[in-house]
Amino acid sequence: MPHRETTLTEFIIREQRRFPHATGDFTGLLNYIRLACKRISFVVGRGALGGATGAAGSANVQGETQMKLDVLSNDIFLRTNEYGGHLAAMASEEMDEPYVVADPELRGKYLLAFDPLDGSSNIDVNVSVGSIFSVLKCPEGVTEPATRHFLQPGTQQLCAGYAVYGPTTMLVLTLGNGVHGFTLDRGFGEFILTHPDMRIPEDTREFAINTSNERFWEPPVKRYVEECVAGRGGPRGADFNMRWIASMVAEVHRILIRGGLFMYPRDTKDPAKPGRLRLMYEANPMAMIVEQAGGAASTGRGRILEVQPEGLHQRVPVILGSRNEVERIERYHRETDEGLDQPYSSPLFKERSLFTQ
Ligand code: F6P
């Protein structure tokens, strides 16, 4: 047979064939997730032509302003995936409580957690945004799923992925057997396997962090960034580059393509929030993808995937990307906690800054 490209549908069917007892349910679910991402890609791509730019005039459970496309994308994810009949319930950044599939006859055996449109502050300025998703098994015997059934550590995820809506739309997926990237062929409307077995280089000279929060960072993060910024003449003996897109999907995608480090660490901006990013539908799926690609994902003090969730919208510090840099920052956290990194752990350090020594 002549060689031709592999579509996402074919890829999923091939994966299913590795499990002789598979019922096809999971394959069906992935097909609906893929359809939801295609629909969102279409409305995002229409921009102002679709009349969906601008604020929705509402706020989500975190008190953040919702954009019209946040609300629309959430609706697309819910409606498309409910129809498939593979899910018992869905949880999203945009909803306080999980949505339980209304018709008990249509309730399936999986749970889906998602962020329908990550990085939505970028929508109106035409910069990449994305959707993030995580699939969990609904615990055996549960017919009325609730928040507590979602609170499983990231190690329990069956599948994680994201779609990035940028110059091209790509869907990047892991089923626990490596990470594979598919590009949407807009001509015939199918995702094509273009990036098989994506791997994150162990080393990098590129980091991403919002430095406007510098005064709120903990000493190990200040130390790390200060050493990078010091460049060739500093302790790292090398010049570093910095990026900040303010869209986690786009940052993780860059890291999968060419390596790098992404941080939204714990800070003291709001003591009630140990970080900005949400565990269930941002940090966990991205951590699974990054680990499956050979990288590392940490809170600074442990593996993200091992955090026991306590709430649907719980926040967590996130440090992920090239393995050797993540491990270095974990070491800096340990040294701070043990008081071994003077002057970084001394109160005097709090007076210093990246820009004023
Ligand atoms: O809410 C998630 C998110 O939009 C991420 O995609 C992104 O990395 C971050 O928030 C941006 O935060 P900030 O507004 O502080 O740059």
Side-chain angles (χ1 to χ4, degrees):
M1 230 174 21
H3 171 78
R4 61 171 185 80
E5 55 214 357
T6 303
T7 67
L8 175 55
T9 311
E10 288 165 340
F11 175 88
I12 300 168
I13 291 171
R14 199 166 72 201
E15 283 296 300
Q16 184 193 325
R17 288 190 183 135
R18 295 196 304 121
F19 302 92
H21 302 295
T23 58
D25 257 19
F26 191 59
T27 299
L29 170 60
L30 288 174
N31 272 324
Y32 280 95
I33 293 176
R34 152 188 151 278
L35 180 58
C37 293
K38 277 206 300 193
R39 287 186 163 146
I40 297 172
S41 170
F42 179 73
V43 291
V44 167
R46 292 217 355 115
L49 296 177
T53 47
S58 51
N60 66 14
V61 62
Q62 350 270 334
E64 294 162 345
T65 304
Q66 285 178 309
M67 307 300 284
K68 283 187 198 153
L69 276 176
D70 281 326
V71 177
L72 194 59
S73 307
N74 193 58
D75 209 52
I76 290 175
F77 242 87
L78 286 180
R79 301 295 151 239
T80 307
N81 287 301
E82 176 173 32
Y83 188 84
H86 307 289
L87 291 168
M90 290 175 259
S92 143
E93 179 180 11
E94 307 303 334
M95 306 183 301
D96 301 11
E97 301 293 335
Y99 171 80
V100 178
V101 170
D103 181 351
E105 295 295 308
L106 273 186
R107 276 182 211 158
K109 57 186 178 203
Y110 298 107
L111 301 174
L112 180 67
F114 60 92
D115 180 353
L117 207 58
D118 175 65
S120 52
S121 70
N122 281 325
I123 293 168
D124 287 359
V125 290
N126 202 3
V127 170
S128 297
V129 287
S131 305
I132 311 174
F133 56 89
S134 157
V135 179
L136 295 161
K137 188 91 196 287
C138 187
E140 219 55 64
V142 171
T143 50
E144 293 299 327
T147 294
R148 65 182 185 284
H149 302 117
F150 279 86
L151 303 183
Q152 309 178 30
T155 47
Q156 298 299 309
Q157 293 172 107
L158 302 174
C159 156
Y162 64 80
V164 57
Y165 313 114
T168 57
T169 287
M170 281 192 69
L171 198 144
V172 173
L173 190 68
T174 180
L175 307 176
N177 183 26
V179 178
H180 309 283
F182 302 81
T183 304
L184 181 62
D185 184 325
R186 296 184 208 267
F188 71 108
E190 180 53 295
F191 284 101
I192 306 296
L193 179 61
T194 47
H195 295 63
D197 203 16
M198 300 171 89
R199 303 294 299 168
I200 299 176
E202 288 189 351
D203 291 299
T204 183
R205 293 285 176 262
E206 196 164 72
F207 66 97
I209 191 165
N210 182 347
T211 50
S212 72
N213 292 326
E214 189 228 347
R215 65 194 183 284
F216 303 114
W217 294 341
E218 291 189 304
V221 174
K222 284 194 178 189
R223 173 183 174 187
Y224 178 81
V225 174
E226 194 176 293
E227 289 180 0
C228 292
V229 172
R232 205 170 301 176
R236 301 297 306 271
D239 291 336
F240 281 73
N241 195 12
M242 201 201 83
R243 287 284 182 274
W244 188 249
I245 307 175
S247 177
M248 189 198 197
V249 171
E251 315 267 12
V252 170
H253 193 66
R254 183 187 62 250
I255 290 171
L256 280 168
I257 299 288
R258 67 174 191 218
L261 183 80
F262 169 85
M263 290 182 276
Y264 219 117
R266 177 188 295 276
D267 63 32
T268 58
K269 201 173 190 173
D270 177 350
K273 295 179 184 163
R276 173 174 166 98
L277 300 175
R278 276 52 59 110
L279 177 62
M280 299 301 298
Y281 40 79
E282 292 179 321
N284 268 343
M286 290 311 200
M288 181 175 181
I289 292 169
V290 166
E291 285 198 5
Q292 283 290 320
S298 171
T299 62
R301 295 182 169 89
R303 200 175 160 216
I304 289 175
L305 293 180
E306 287 175 8
V307 173
Q308 174 58 52
E310 286 165 3
L312 208 51
H313 301 287
Q314 173 178 346
R315 297 177 191 255
V316 70
V318 173
I319 297 168
L320 58 76
S322 292
R323 171 168 295 282
N324 289 338
E325 293 300 297
V326 175
E327 285 175 359
R328 172 183 287 270
I329 301 177
E330 284 186 322
R331 172 163 63 80
Y332 288 3
H333 279 79
R334 272 195 308 278
E335 289 176 5
T336 300
D337 294 349
E338 289 163 13
L340 300 174
D341 65 341
Q342 302 291 338
Y344 290 93
S345 52
S346 111
L348 266 183
F349 181 71
K350 297 196 175 70
E351 306 303 320
R352 299 168 70 209
S353 126
L354 267 182
F355 306 105
T356 55
Q357 295 296 309

